């Protein structure tokens, strides 16, 4: 862990939480071991190969036929959210390097976005590509990198953004002032971009077409936990990896005097600052009205702190930052 950066806290009252319906029984979980730790996100390509990125920078692929995991490339940073483009290239959000793109056909790794509005992209979190080639991506915070994500929680500033990269390479900010912007996906008809705010505990829609084009509306708010990466399922539902339940200490601190949090940040070792509670938790929401269509939750599963989720081939694949390995269960 590098030296902690300075923080400048603000008073902020976290949103209340509303309980979700009782969860469904969690099917049998299968853990797939991979080299490296903290595979934050998981995606599946057209051939059924499962892809993830681990904390030392490597991108790893697991064959659909059970073949041993293989290291495909190395970003040299910290890969977070992943997504495949229509031409089967891999988008990589890297907290150190920005928005990258990897071509499995020739091994080319290129940087698509390293700066936005003249400043470095600090915490590129997740991305998705539309049919017209526009890439929508999030920056969790413009103040800290992944290694110090707790700084954003303690500081409580709304410093995240939703952005877009057009096919001509130009970028723009669609929404700013977000509370730890994280997962992003498109509705099945691409009428809207759905994005998650982890500390804001909500999912929202940025409308791309129709009478609400260019506006933001809530899909689900006052979640009883922190949403992380998200994806669109085969039936159009929005799958959400619920990273953790709220931390009582963090919620108590946010509205308190900024000086108190500044002192705690300076004096306490990073590992002693509020931590998430490990839980296996995935929710499927209706993309139109935010109804819960499915929910799998367990505090006893051997796989917690779920940060990535994708549906493929009748399975729900999970990534996490709380350890090693990917996991899946059959739907």
């Amino acid at each position: 862990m590098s030296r902690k950066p300075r923080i400048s806290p603000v008073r902020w009252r976290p949103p209340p939480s509303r309980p979700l319906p009782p969860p469904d029984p969690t099917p049998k979980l299968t853990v797939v071991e991979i080299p490296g730790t903290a595979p934050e996100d998981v995606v599946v390509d057209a051939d059924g190969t499962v892809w993830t990125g681990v904390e030392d920078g490597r991108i790893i692929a697991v064959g659909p036929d059970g073949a041993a995991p293989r290291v495909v490339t190395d970003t040299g940073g910290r890969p977070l959210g992943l997504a495949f483009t229509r031409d089967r290239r891999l988008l990589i959000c890297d907290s150190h390097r920005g928005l990258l793109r990897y071509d499995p056909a020739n091994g080319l790794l290129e940087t698509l976005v390293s700066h936005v509005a003249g400043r470095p992209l600090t915490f590129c979190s997740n991305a998705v590509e539309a049919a017209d080639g526009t890439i929508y991506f999030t920056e969790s915070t413009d103040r800290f990198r992944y290694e110090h994500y707790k700084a954003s929680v303690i500081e409580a500033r709304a410093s995240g953004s939703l952005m877009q990269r057009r096919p001509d390479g130009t970028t723009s900010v669609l929404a700013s002032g977000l509370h730890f912007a994280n997962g992003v996906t498109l509705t099945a008809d691409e009428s809207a971009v759905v994005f998650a705010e982890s500390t804001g505990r909500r999912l929202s829609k940025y409308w791309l077409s129709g009478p609400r084009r260019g506006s933001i509306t809530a899909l689900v708010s006052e979640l009883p936990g922190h949403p992380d990466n998200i994806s669109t399922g085969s039936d159009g539902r929005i799958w959400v990896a619920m990273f953790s339940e709220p931390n009582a200490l963090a919620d108590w601190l946010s509205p308190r005097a900024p000086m108190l949090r500044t002192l705690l940040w300076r004096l306490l070792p990073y590992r002693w600052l509020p931590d998430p509670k490990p839980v296996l938790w995935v929710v499927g929401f209706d993309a139109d009205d935010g109804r819960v269509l499915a929910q799998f939750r367990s505090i006893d599963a051997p796989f917690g702190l779920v940060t990535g989720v994708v549906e493929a081939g009748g399975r729900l694949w999970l990534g996490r930052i709380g350890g090693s390995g990917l996991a899946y269960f059959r739907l």
Side-chain angles (χ1 to χ4, degrees):
M1 178 65 63
S2 59
R3 185 177 180 179
K4 287 188 292 186
R6 292 180 179 273
I7 66 171
S8 180
V10 296
R11 291 180 185 269
W12 176 65
R13 187 170 297 280
S17 296
R18 291 182 296 159
L20 297 178
D24 303 300
T26 301
K28 180 182 177 181
L29 193 71
T30 299
V31 177
V32 178
E33 296 299 332
I34 60 170
T37 57
E40 205 264 357
D41 199 12
V42 57
V43 292
V44 181
D45 67 17
D47 297 328
T49 299
V50 181
W51 296 67
T52 190
V54 292
E55 63 183 351
D56 64 7
R58 292 177 296 166
I59 302 296
I60 295 168
V62 181
D65 55 358
R70 57 190 173 89
V71 177
V72 177
T73 189
D74 191 327
T75 69
R78 194 349 174 170
L80 297 172
L82 307 175
F84 273 100
T85 62
R86 298 307 195 273
D87 59 3
R88 304 180 69 170
R89 289 184 287 182
L90 181 68
L91 296 175
I92 305 168
C93 283
D94 191 291
S95 177
H96 294 178
R97 298 189 53 195
L99 179 63
L100 314 179
R101 185 170 60 193
Y102 173 74
D103 190 341
N106 57 23
L108 177 64
L109 179 67
E110 58 182 328
T111 300
L112 297 182
V113 182
S114 62
H115 289 70
V116 175
R119 64 164 182 82
L121 189 59
T122 304
F123 197 140
C124 188
S125 187
N126 203 233
V128 66
E129 186 192 60
D132 66 358
T134 301
I135 298 171
Y136 300 93
F137 62 100
T138 53
E139 182 180 40
S140 294
T141 169
D142 61 13
R143 297 177 55 75
F144 312 102
R145 296 195 187 279
Y146 168 84
E147 288 78 8
H148 292 111
Y149 77 89
K150 291 183 185 180
S152 182
V153 177
I154 298 296
E155 193 177 68
R157 286 183 178 273
S159 56
S161 298
L162 172 68
M163 306 178 182
Q164 70 174 0
R165 179 190 184 273
R166 302 176 187 85
D168 63 6
T170 58
T171 61
S172 59
V173 177
L174 301 178
S176 58
L178 305 179
H179 283 279
F180 209 88
N182 210 322
V184 61
T185 190
L186 288 157
T187 57
D189 62 0
E190 298 198 358
S191 63
V193 176
V194 181
F195 63 93
E197 292 173 81
S198 292
T199 54
R201 300 174 195 166
R202 63 190 172 197
L203 306 178
S204 302
K205 282 183 172 181
Y206 180 92
W207 291 92
L208 301 176
S209 61
R212 290 175 289 188
R213 181 178 180 179
S215 66
I216 295 175
T217 59
L219 178 61
V220 186
S221 58
E222 299 182 359
L223 285 167
H226 301 296
D228 205 286
N229 289 321
I230 65 179
S231 61
T232 303
S234 58
D235 62 356
R237 73 181 61 187
I238 306 299
W239 285 113
V240 180
M242 297 293 289
F243 172 57
S244 171
E245 297 175 342
N247 182 283
L249 177 57
D251 280 4
W252 183 86
L253 285 171
S254 292
R256 297 306 190 274
M259 180 56 71
L260 171 61
R261 284 175 282 146
T262 300
L263 288 173
L264 288 175
W265 176 255
R266 288 177 181 174
L267 297 176
L268 293 182
Y270 189 80
R271 66 182 182 277
W272 289 6
L273 294 166
D275 266 330
K277 299 177 181 179
V279 61
L280 187 159
W281 195 2
V282 181
V283 187
F285 292 99
D286 188 287
D288 294 323
D289 58 19
R291 286 180 300 116
V292 174
L293 302 179
Q295 181 183 191
F296 306 102
R297 188 179 186 278
S298 174
I299 59 174
D300 300 319
F303 195 90
L305 298 179
V306 175
T307 50
V309 57
V310 67
E311 177 190 340
R315 296 175 175 178
L316 205 60
W317 281 92
L318 310 175
R320 63 171 173 174
I321 66 167
S324 61
L326 301 171
Y328 71 84
F329 55 80
R330 296 186 181 278
L331 293 170

